[in-house]
Structures are given as structure tokens and as C-alpha cells.
Amino acid sequence: MHEQHRRFYSHHLGMDLDMLVFGTWGYPVVIFPTSGGRHYEARDFNLIEAARPLVEAGRVKLYCVDSIDRYSWYAKHLEPAVRVQNHILYDRFLCEELVPQLQQECNVDKIAVAGSSFGGYHALNFAFRHPDQVAHLFTMGAAFDISQFLGGYHDENVYYNNPPEFMPGAHSEHFQWMNIIMGTAEHDFCKESNYQMAALLSQKGIPYRLEVNPYGTHDWPVWREMFPQFLNTI
């Protein structure tokens, strides 16, 4: 399986971000790391290995991007307004810098996004904020309410990055075309968040799948099992 390291300078963030790319061709899938994770996390925890057959068959090309959680949601040394603003800059990096490059590189109109745990928040938040850029959304063991990180602080920027808040009023024809699959497990402490998001999508008439592992917990073995199954729907 071909592996390539790339360093991407973001003009919005004013910094370099690292990325690992797996495969030489195929549909582009951006993978976000878990809380504070780095670009090599999905490889080191064998999530990429679980998808090896699809990568080697040229079905998908996986892009494991860095997060900036240490400057945003997990930067408890910063004021909440600054943390949210830093995340908005990260969103602009994705929307205006990274995704257009992948669209051109892979000759597609839209991409796929995926993530486990906090990476699932990143994937879903980006997909629902930019449905015109995302065709496939896969989350595994995720929770989606970002307000828990902000100690009661709230403003418009928080609202538009908190899917349980902004989705009831969100409207886009692209939601109807998006392949949305959320995965959780019976003993995952994030399970209820997935049921709540499923209920919200049902109320809006947005198609989705909710997969619940009957035995698993909030851990990599469950996500390694789910990931290739979800990718197989591309």
C-alpha cells in the first residue's frame, strides 16, 4: 500500500499541517484524528490497515490530516471565543484550501469525510456546514455537541459549529444526496449522541444509516471493523 507524507501550508492558519496519504488513486476520503490526535494516528491504530483491500484496489484514497484541537476546542488556556475562532480558521483551511486541492487531484465534485470519536465530530460538522463539498460522511463512536467544551460560553460562532444546534434550521438539497452512516456500539458512552442525531435527521427527512455494534465499546477494535464496511458504500 502506497504511503506518502505531505506538509501543507495553510494561509488561513498561518502554519504547516502534516498529512499522510494512502493509495495512488480512488475516491478521496479525509480522515480526522481523535481528540488532539495527529495525522499518523489512523495508521498507528491500524484503521488504515483495515481498509487496505479497498485502498489497494483503487476504490479509495485516504488522506489523514492533522487537527488543531490543541489550539481550539482543547486549548483550555485560551478564552472560549478565541478557541472557537481558531476552529473557524481550521474550517476555512479545509473548505478553501485542502478540499479544492483534493477535488482537483482526484477529479471529483465532492469528497468523503470520516472520523472516530472526536474525529467524528469534525467529520460531521464539516459535512453539515459544507454539504456541497461532501458526498459521504462516516462517523464512528462520535459525539456531536461541542458546548460541553466551552463552560457555558455561547455566541454565533459556537452555534454554527454545534450540529445539534444549527442542523434543525439548516437547509440544503445536498443533504438528500449525502451518504450518511453513523456507527456506535451498545456500550459506547457516545451512543446516546448518535441516537439524538439520528432523531434530528429523521425529523428533517434526511436519509442516514445508524449502525450499532451489539457488543462493542468506545474503542479502536469496533472502529476498525466498521470502517471498511462504511467505505464499501462509496
Side-chain angles (χ1 to χ4, degrees):
M1 180 166 50
H2 183 264
E3 176 180 335
Q4 179 191 25
H5 174 263
R6 297 184 189 176
R7 182 156 288 167
F8 194 112
Y9 180 77
S10 168
H11 294 278
H12 284 298
L13 291 166
M15 61 185 290
D16 289 315
L17 285 90
D18 290 293
M19 181 167 63
L20 286 180
V21 183
F22 296 89
T24 53
W25 63 86
Y27 198 88
V29 183
V30 173
I31 302 174
F32 296 95
T34 63
S35 302
R38 298 296 309 279
H39 59 287
Y40 44 76
E41 180 189 65
R43 179 197 62 191
D44 292 356
F45 282 91
N46 292 319
L47 193 70
I48 303 303
E49 183 63 28
R52 175 185 285 272
L54 292 167
V55 175
E56 292 184 339
R59 292 273 304 279
V60 294
K61 190 172 183 180
L62 306 181
Y63 296 84
C64 301
V65 66
D66 262 337
S67 73
I68 64 157
D69 293 343
R70 63 193 182 279
Y71 304 120
S72 58
W73 305 118
Y74 282 85
K76 296 183 179 180
H77 61 289
L78 298 177
E79 291 295 322
V82 175
R83 292 153 61 186
V84 177
Q85 186 60 43
N86 286 345
H87 174 76
I88 289 173
L89 295 176
Y90 182 67
D91 181 82
R92 290 176 181 167
F93 150 69
L94 296 169
C95 174
E96 299 175 16
E97 297 178 320
L98 179 62
V99 172
Q101 183 183 96
L102 304 189
Q103 290 170 318
Q104 182 177 20
E105 180 177 309
C106 299
N107 193 29
V108 295
D109 292 328
K110 298 181 180 181
I111 66 163
V113 291
S116 304
S117 193
F118 200 61
Y121 158 77
H122 280 298
L124 185 137
N125 188 58
F126 181 81
F128 287 173
R129 280 173 55 88
H130 307 284
D132 59 319
Q133 290 186 307
V134 177
H136 304 271
L137 164 62
F138 308 128
T139 70
M140 298 163 286
F144 309 111
D145 189 342
I146 205 66
S147 61
Q148 62 180 304
F149 289 88
L150 300 173
Y153 177 83
H154 194 273
D155 63 12
E156 186 178 51
N157 290 331
V158 174
Y159 176 90
Y160 284 110
N161 285 282
N162 193 26
E165 279 195 87
F166 75 74
M167 273 304 289
H171 301 282
S172 172
E173 61 183 3
H174 296 278
F175 289 136
Q176 299 297 322
W177 307 331
M178 193 181 298
N179 174 30
I180 301 171
I181 309 180
M182 298 180 293
T184 185
E186 185 62 32
H187 305 290
D188 185 346
F189 59 82
C190 292
K191 181 180 70 172
E192 188 59 32
S193 293
N194 287 265
Y195 284 133
Q196 291 169 357
M197 182 56 64
L200 192 161
L201 297 178
S202 293
Q203 291 167 7
K204 293 183 66 67
I206 298 175
Y208 69 92
R209 277 173 50 194
L210 176 61
E211 299 288 336
V212 182
N213 184 300
Y215 307 109
T217 62
H218 186 84
D219 206 355
W220 289 98
V222 172
W223 308 334
R224 285 193 292 265
E225 179 181 340
M226 289 178 170
F227 189 48
Q229 297 175 12
F230 294 179
L231 289 179
N232 209 36
T233 66
I234 293 177

